[in-house]
């Protein structure tokens, strides 16, 4: 089927957004305060469709609220990464010279260090929490968007429409962000879409080792960490957050892949 990646990714992301927005109305119980030790580690059944965890909390409610946490972290982190990367890349490609050399050096440094290692070091300094997550992940994964935006600007700044805007006396910021940016936005949108899935996976990884979202707030990575001890006796405690994380990251990646095919002129042909 044509555009399967696009439709599947779009449907998955739309479902995630709806779940995150309407979690208070969809969740049958409060994900934090509701706890019944008499019903701890119940398997999926009529009263608890996804079962309960080791503290008797409803897994369905925690999965739904965990979608909200993952969506917020993914979108905020990727907005920060895109803003930093696109600003640095486009100004470096437009101005060139010493500024371009500095930006390229920073980009090569960021590409040489794995994102999760850099974020782990920052989280160790800042401590766990949402604000620390935004800072650690939002300042560590901008290198790809920076490199792509710089390359796009280098290929566009000699075009006639850019020279016409400069001749008419428009400011540098206007030329870069009002003239060039709309013409190079396609690849950047693809990178940003896939980056949301990467940010969600990074948040889950940090939460898994105790440096992400602070318990008892619902986080898919935190749920997986606590499920290790009950993996043999109550596997559903690990299955549902793992499945939710897998489908979410897959959805964003397939949406980015579909957008790439849609925005690529050769793909359309």
């Amino acid at each position: 089927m044509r555009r399967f990646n696009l439709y599947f990714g779009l449907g998955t992301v739309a479902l995630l957004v709806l779940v995150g927005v309407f979690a208070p109305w969809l969740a049958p119980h409060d994900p934090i305060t509701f706890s019944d030790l008499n019903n701890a580690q119940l398997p999926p059944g009529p009263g608890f469709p996804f079962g309960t965890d080791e503290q008797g909390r409803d897994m369905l409610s925690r999965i739904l609220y965990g979608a909200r946490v993952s969506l917020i972290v993914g979108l905020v982190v990727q907005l920060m990464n895109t803003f930093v990367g696109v600003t640095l890349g486009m100004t470096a490609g437009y101005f060139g010279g010493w500024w371009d050399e500095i930006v390229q050096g920073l980009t090569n440094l960021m590409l040489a260090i794995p994102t999760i290692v850099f974020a782990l070091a920052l989280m160790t300094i800042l401590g766990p929490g949402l604000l620390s997550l935004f800072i650690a992940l939002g300042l560590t994964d901008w290198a790809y968007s920076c490199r792509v935006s710089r390359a796009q600007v280098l290929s566009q700044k000699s075009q006639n429409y850019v020279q016409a805007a400069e001749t008419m006396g428009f400011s540098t910021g206007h030329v870069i962000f009002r003239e060039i940016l709309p013409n190079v936005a396609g690849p950047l949108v693809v990178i940003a879409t896939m980056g949301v899935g990467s940010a969600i996976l990074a948040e889950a990884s940090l939460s898994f080792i105790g440096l992400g979202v602070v318990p008892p707030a619902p986080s898919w990575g935190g749920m997986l960490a606590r499920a290790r001890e009950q993996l043999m006796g109550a596997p559903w405690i690990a299955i549902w957050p793992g499945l939710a994380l897998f489908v979410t990251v897959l959805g964003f990646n397939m949406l980015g892949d579909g957008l790439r095919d849609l925005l690529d002129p050769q793909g359309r042909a």
Side-chain angles (χ1 to χ4, degrees):
M1 185 175 116
R2 293 187 60 191
R3 310 296 186 200
F4 172 77
N5 288 354
L6 179 64
Y7 296 144
F8 178 86
L10 187 61
T12 303
V13 172
L15 179 62
L16 177 67
V17 172
L18 290 175
V19 168
V21 172
F22 295 103
W25 294 273
L26 296 175
H29 304 284
D30 188 279
I32 298 176
T33 60
F34 176 82
S35 178
D36 186 2
L37 294 178
N38 293 325
N39 291 322
Q41 296 186 359
L42 284 180
F48 301 97
F50 283 11
T52 61
D53 63 6
E54 73 282 359
Q55 297 183 25
R57 294 174 297 193
D58 180 39
M59 286 297 299
L60 175 59
S61 302
R62 293 183 63 78
I63 292 295
L64 295 176
Y65 273 86
R68 170 179 286 190
V69 173
S70 296
L71 186 63
I72 292 174
V73 171
L75 292 178
V76 172
V77 165
Q78 192 52 41
L79 282 174
M80 294 174 64
N81 282 320
T82 301
F83 176 78
V84 173
V86 170
T87 301
L88 291 177
M90 295 195 71
T91 54
Y94 187 81
F95 292 114
W98 62 269
W99 175 244
D100 188 24
E101 294 179 0
I102 292 176
V103 171
Q104 287 192 74
L106 288 174
T107 303
N108 293 333
L109 177 63
M110 298 301 296
L111 290 173
I113 304 175
T115 300
I116 192 65
V117 174
F118 202 168
L120 181 61
L122 290 177
M123 290 297 295
T124 304
I125 298 173
L126 299 173
L130 273 180
L131 182 59
S132 300
L133 271 175
F134 294 153
I135 296 174
L137 296 178
L139 300 177
T140 58
D141 198 20
W142 50 263
Y144 291 105
S145 58
C146 178
R147 177 164 287 185
V148 170
S149 60
R150 174 183 175 273
Q152 293 291 321
V153 170
L154 289 175
S155 66
Q156 292 289 321
K157 69 177 184 178
S158 60
Q159 298 295 321
N160 293 332
Y161 74 92
V162 177
Q163 296 178 0
E166 295 173 343
T167 303
M168 295 175 64
F170 288 116
S171 65
T172 302
H174 179 94
V175 174
I176 295 176
F177 296 106
R178 297 291 297 275
E179 302 293 336
I180 300 178
L181 181 58
N183 290 280
V184 302
L188 300 177
V189 170
V190 174
I191 293 176
T193 304
M194 292 185 171
V196 175
S198 300
I200 292 174
L201 188 60
E203 178 273 322
S205 301
L206 292 173
S207 297
F208 184 83
I209 60 177
L211 291 175
V213 178
V214 179
S219 168
W220 293 339
M223 295 179 203
L224 287 172
R226 290 186 294 275
R228 290 176 295 178
E229 300 176 358
Q230 291 83 28
L231 191 59
M232 299 303 296
W236 58 87
I237 302 178
I239 289 175
W240 296 119
L243 184 61
L245 187 62
F246 168 76
V247 173
T248 298
V249 175
L250 178 65
F252 275 105
N253 287 344
M254 293 188 72
L255 176 59
D257 189 58
L259 288 174
R260 181 192 61 192
D261 295 339
L262 182 65
L263 298 173
D264 183 12
Q266 296 181 354
R268 289 198 299 268

